[in-house]
Structures are given as structure tokens and as C-alpha cells.
Amino acid sequence: MSTALESKVRIQREDFSVTDEIEFMKKSSRNIGGITTFLGTGRETNKGENISELNFEHYPQMAEKKLGEIREKAIKDFGLIDMSIIHRIGHIEIGDNIVLIIACGEHRQETFKACEWAIAELKRTTPIWKRETTSKGEVWVQATP
Amino acid sequence: MSTALESKVRIQREDFSVTDEIEFMKKSSRNIGGITTFLGTGRETNKGENISELNFEHYPQMAEKKLGEIREKAIKDFGLIDMSIIHRIGHIEIGDNIVLIIACGEHRQETFKACEWAIAELKRTTPIWKRETTSKGEVWVQATP
Amino acid sequence: MVTVKYFANLKQMAGKEEDQFDINEGTTLEQLSDLIKQSVPQLGDMVREKKVMISLNYDVVPLDTVVKDGDEIALLPPFSGGI
Amino acid sequence: MVTVKYFANLKQMAGKEEDQFDINEGTTLEQLSDLIKQSVPQLGDMVREKKVMISLNYDVVPLDTVVKDGDEIALLPPFSGGI
């Protein structure tokens, strides 16, 4: 687990700065014209249930490996200049940042497509689990297969 | 022309902070789960031509009006929680921020759609013009109808 | 009297930012283009030939739109904002 | 010997983070589930009934995959990362 800006796929407890992450990505090329960013944040309600806090747990090594695979496939399949993916774990308050995906391209079209694909792929393939704290206690989200 | 974070559609000379703009938008609601951001930046080459700098000019009042219309239509048509649109004018260096669109929703799907629609609509309806400085001099982009 | 503003390369062609014209009641933008032509011949033609868009009080409108005293008109070359 | 890790609610069910099992050559994940069942009955059944995904050295694999000494296996409940 690295929290330095050196790695373009990271899982970390600490918050991140969207501006810093974008500026870091801009260094990849002087031909970036479009940058689409997806930021997931802690929502107060889910399916009518009021949430007071969230906790994320991941499978170390496998989660980073999957994020790396998503990044490489996105760059290749969508013709991006670069992509970064950062996911936080541990305790998350309502309104806090959870996940950030930055897709950089020469033109905007491919960055929208790649960013949207990457967050869906992350949810599908990356071993990260969310626990919601509600008035009824703590529940693992989608814990029942 | 306002540069304070008070307005959610702005045309300004100064740079903006993506982080600050996102944090400002988060105050709209505690039910934001997805934030899609499009950031347009100055690209070094366009159609094979090397660009040393860009200059943007706008039609004051009309440009702000059109951005306001885009924001309102995006919120309504895509069911967003909120949207902001900021476009810089004046001198822009390669790599600099040009335009920022932030789409906030409960879920991610509508924020991708709305953000992609909004940047296309901005290009179609908002009276802003780009002048590129190349080795051949200054050229207004798409200046010939 | 109406104001006609010129932007981007049209401002360079006109060599000025705007013109002001006295108009008769019921004047359309198409008729106004004759007055623009007297001021900047090239631009009057571009309006008639629909090579530029024309806005009236901050909305793009068709050439048969009638203008009235105090209106703000602008000749708009194709937009190139965004990226 | 292989390591089997439990995550999220499966870790709570197991009451532990991982198990280690000695295996014979040619053991498949399906056969390994019998050993898991001896350690945590509920989890062994969930593997057989495909109610959890199973990973081998950081990739999700089918149950007929053969494991070897030193492998890292994990039982993975449905993911809920992202938002």
C-alpha cells in the first residue's frame, strides 16, 4: 500500500486531493486535452436506510492487482493517454471521498467512456467490501450472494 | 464575471481549484454518491499543428446565460443533484485548465451522461472563441463557418 | 437605436467592437444587415449568406426576427469553447 | 500447505482471518472445500454451492482448479467497492 503520488493505482486509508492527483496525471503528456474524473463519495441514505458511517475493507495485493489490470486495459482499449485509480479503505464519513478514477486523453470522448467502464469494472472485479453503519447496526453491503 | 465560489456557472480569467470546486458542490446535499467531472486542458498539438499558447474570448452575459441554461437543463433532464460549469478566458498555457464541469448525483450513471452532454452542449451553444498561437501566427479556431 | 456587437475574427474584420444603428419600427435582422453592410461590407454579406449566427438579446434567432429600440444584437462566428 | 483467507462477513462467520491446510498433490479447490468445511462448516458449504467466489493467487478461478503448496486461496463475498 503506497500513498505517495508515485503510483497510479493505490489503496489507502488517507484522503486524496483531486487537484493534486490531476496535476500529477497531467505530467504524463503535454497532449492531454480532456480529463474525465469520477469521484465516489459517502451518501447518507441507501435504499431508504439512513447511514451514519461507512467502512471499507480490501484484499491486499489482489485489490491492487485488479486496479492495475483495469488501468492497463482502459488505456489500451480506449486509447487513453493515462489513467489513475485510487480507493480508500477504513472509516469513511458521509460526504467523504471514497474512490477516484482519472482518465486522461487527447479528446474527451474516450475519457468519458473509459472512466465509466473503469468504475463499473472496479465494482465487478476488485475485492473491496463496504460495511454500512445504520440505526440497526453494522451491515456488510450485498453480503448475501 | 464573478470568481467567488458563490456562483455555479462562471466565466473567469483566473485558474480554479478542482478540489475546492468539488467541495463547494458537495455542500449541495448529503446524498451525493457520484461526482463526474470533465476538465478540458490546453493541448500542445491540434491537427498536427504545434501550439504555443491559447486565448479564449467570450460574449459577456450571453455566455453566462447559456451556461446557466445548460446547468438547469442538465439537472432537470438527467435528475442530477447539482452541476457547476466554469470556463476560463484570456491567456492559457499548454497544460493549463480551460473548462470544468462537475455533475453531482445520487448514482454515477446520470452524472456521466449529464457531464458528457453538458460539454457537448457548451461547445454547441456558448459564445466562446479560441485563438491558437502557432509557428504560423495566431488563428481563430474554426473561424471559417 | 440598436447595438450590434462583433466577436472574435469578426471583430478583427470590422476593426471595431460594435456599431449602433437607428432603426425603423418593424425592422428585421435581415433588413438590419443592409445597415451592417454599409458599415462593414463583408459582415453584411456574411449575415445574409448565413455564414455567421446572429443573436438578439443573448439568444440566437432567425433572420426574420424583428428588432426594437434598445436591442443588443451580435454577430457570432462558430463557437470554439470547451477544448 | 496452502493458506485460505476469509474476508468481510466471511471473516466474521469464520471467527478468524485465515486457515492453513496441508494438501495432497492434485487437490482441487472443490476438494479443498472439504478441509475448509472441517474448519468452518458453513464456509465449506458456501464454496460448494458457489455462494462465494474463490481466488487463487489473486485471480478468481473455477472450482476444478488444482492447487499446489504455497498457494494463497481466498473466499470472497460479492464485492461492494466503488460507491
Side-chain angles (χ1 to χ4, degrees):
Chain A
M1 188 176 88
S2 165
T3 60
L5 289 186
E6 285 135 40
S7 174
K8 287 172 182 169
V9 294
R10 300 187 335 255
I11 293 183
Q12 63 185 43
R13 290 192 174 270
E14 312 86 279
D15 197 10
F16 44 77
S17 153
V18 180
T19 297
D20 291 353
E21 299 297 339
I22 286 175
E23 290 304 317
F24 175 58
M25 295 299 283
K26 279 186 183 174
K27 292 178 187 159
S28 300
S29 165
R30 285 171 63 84
N31 260 327
I32 296 173
I35 301 176
T36 296
T37 299
F38 179 74
L39 176 67
T41 56
R43 209 172 52 223
E44 190 166 47
T45 56
N46 190 19
K47 293 167 189 158
E49 200 67 54
N50 226 50
I51 298 158
S52 58
E53 67 169 272
L54 299 164
N55 267 279
F56 285 89
E57 176 182 319
H58 78 307
Y59 179 2
Q61 289 183 271
M62 179 168 170
E64 285 85 347
K65 179 172 191 267
K66 293 299 153 192
L67 295 188
E69 289 170 4
I70 293 167
R71 174 176 177 267
E72 278 171 34
K73 192 162 160 51
I75 292 172
K76 185 165 158 282
D77 288 2
F78 296 92
L80 293 186
I81 291 174
D82 209 345
M83 172 175 272
S84 64
I85 312 177
I86 304 162
H87 201 299
R88 290 179 67 198
I89 50 163
H91 174 83
I92 301 279
E93 298 274 345
I94 302 309
D96 278 1
N97 298 331
I98 297 169
V99 58
L100 180 71
I101 300 180
I102 303 176
C104 304
E106 279 192 46
H107 304 282
R108 69 184 194 280
Q109 291 84 353
E110 63 261 29
T111 67
F112 278 108
K113 286 199 189 79
C115 198
E116 192 167 9
W117 174 82
I119 179 65
E121 193 69 359
L122 182 155
K123 291 171 78 75
R124 194 178 72 81
T125 67
T126 306
I128 300 177
W129 299 274
K130 175 164 66 172
R131 202 171 69 233
E132 292 176 347
T133 306
T134 72
S135 55
K136 295 175 188 160
E138 295 197 349
V139 276
W140 286 102
V141 177
Q142 295 187 326
T144 314
Chain B
M1 189 176 86
S2 164
T3 60
L5 290 185
E6 285 136 40
S7 174
K8 286 172 182 169
V9 295
R10 300 187 335 254
I11 293 183
Q12 63 185 43
R13 291 194 174 270
E14 312 88 276
D15 196 9
F16 44 77
S17 153
V18 179
T19 297
D20 290 353
E21 299 297 339
I22 287 175
E23 290 303 317
F24 175 58
M25 294 301 282
K26 279 186 184 174
K27 291 179 187 160
S28 300
S29 165
R30 285 171 63 84
N31 259 328
I32 296 172
I35 301 176
T36 296
T37 298
F38 178 75
L39 176 66
T41 57
R43 209 174 49 225
E44 191 166 48
T45 56
N46 190 19
K47 292 165 188 159
E49 201 67 55
N50 227 50
I51 298 158
S52 58
E53 67 167 86
L54 299 165
N55 267 279
F56 285 88
E57 177 182 318
H58 77 308
Y59 179 2
Q61 289 183 270
M62 181 169 168
E64 286 85 347
K65 178 173 191 268
K66 293 300 153 192
L67 295 188
E69 289 171 3
I70 293 167
R71 173 175 178 268
E72 278 171 36
K73 193 162 159 51
I75 292 172
K76 186 165 156 283
D77 288 3
F78 296 92
L80 294 185
I81 291 175
D82 209 346
M83 171 176 272
S84 65
I85 312 177
I86 304 162
H87 201 298
R88 290 179 66 198
I89 50 163
H91 173 83
I92 300 279
E93 299 274 347
I94 302 307
D96 278 1
N97 298 331
I98 297 170
V99 57
L100 180 71
I101 300 181
I102 303 176
C104 304
E106 277 193 49
H107 304 281
R108 69 183 194 280
Q109 290 84 354
E110 63 261 28
T111 67
F112 278 109
K113 287 200 188 76
C115 198
E116 191 166 10
W117 173 82
I119 180 65
E121 192 70 358
L122 182 155
K123 292 172 78 74
R124 194 178 72 80
T125 66
T126 306
I128 300 176
W129 299 275
K130 175 164 65 174
R131 201 170 71 233
E132 292 176 347
T133 306
T134 71
S135 55
K136 295 176 186 161
E138 294 198 349
V139 277
W140 286 102
V141 177
Q142 294 188 329
T144 315
Chain C
M1 201 172 65
V2 299
T3 302
V4 179
K5 299 196 168 197
Y6 309 118
F7 287 100
N9 60 321
L10 306 184
K11 182 166 61 185
Q12 289 181 312
M13 282 185 196
K16 54 189 162 189
E17 292 199 355
E18 60 179 58
D19 269 317
Q20 294 193 317
F21 301 106
D22 285 316
I23 52 155
N24 300 319
E25 200 170 328
T27 297
T28 65
L29 288 170
E30 188 145 26
Q31 291 161 341
L32 180 65
S33 74
D34 291 334
L35 299 175
I36 295 172
K37 189 170 181 172
Q38 289 169 26
S39 171
V40 191
Q42 204 177 352
L43 290 186
D45 291 340
M46 287 175 82
V47 172
R48 289 245 177 204
E49 292 162 14
K50 298 187 180 173
K51 287 187 174 168
V52 296
M53 282 184 287
I54 193 154
S55 68
L56 175 64
N57 302 330
Y58 316 126
D59 283 311
V60 172
V61 292
L63 280 182
D64 59 4
T65 307
V66 171
V67 297
K68 62 177 193 311
D69 258 358
D71 278 349
E72 180 172 313
I73 291 107
L75 304 196
L76 309 173
F79 308 142
S80 51
I83 57 164
Chain D
M1 201 172 65
V2 297
T3 303
V4 179
K5 298 196 167 195
Y6 309 118
F7 287 99
N9 60 318
L10 306 184
K11 183 166 61 184
Q12 290 183 310
M13 281 185 198
K16 53 190 162 189
E17 292 200 354
E18 60 179 59
D19 270 316
Q20 294 193 318
F21 301 105
D22 286 315
I23 52 155
N24 300 320
E25 200 172 327
T27 297
T28 65
L29 288 171
E30 188 146 25
Q31 290 161 341
L32 180 65
S33 73
D34 291 335
L35 299 176
I36 295 172
K37 189 170 179 170
Q38 288 169 26
S39 171
V40 190
Q42 202 177 353
L43 289 186
D45 291 339
M46 287 175 82
V47 172
R48 290 247 175 201
E49 293 162 14
K50 298 188 179 172
K51 289 187 173 168
V52 297
M53 283 185 287
I54 193 155
S55 68
L56 175 65
N57 302 329
Y58 316 126
D59 284 311
V60 172
V61 293
L63 280 183
D64 58 3
T65 307
V66 171
V67 297
K68 62 179 193 309
D69 257 359
D71 278 349
E72 179 172 314
I73 291 107
L75 304 196
L76 311 173
F79 307 144
S80 51
I83 56 166

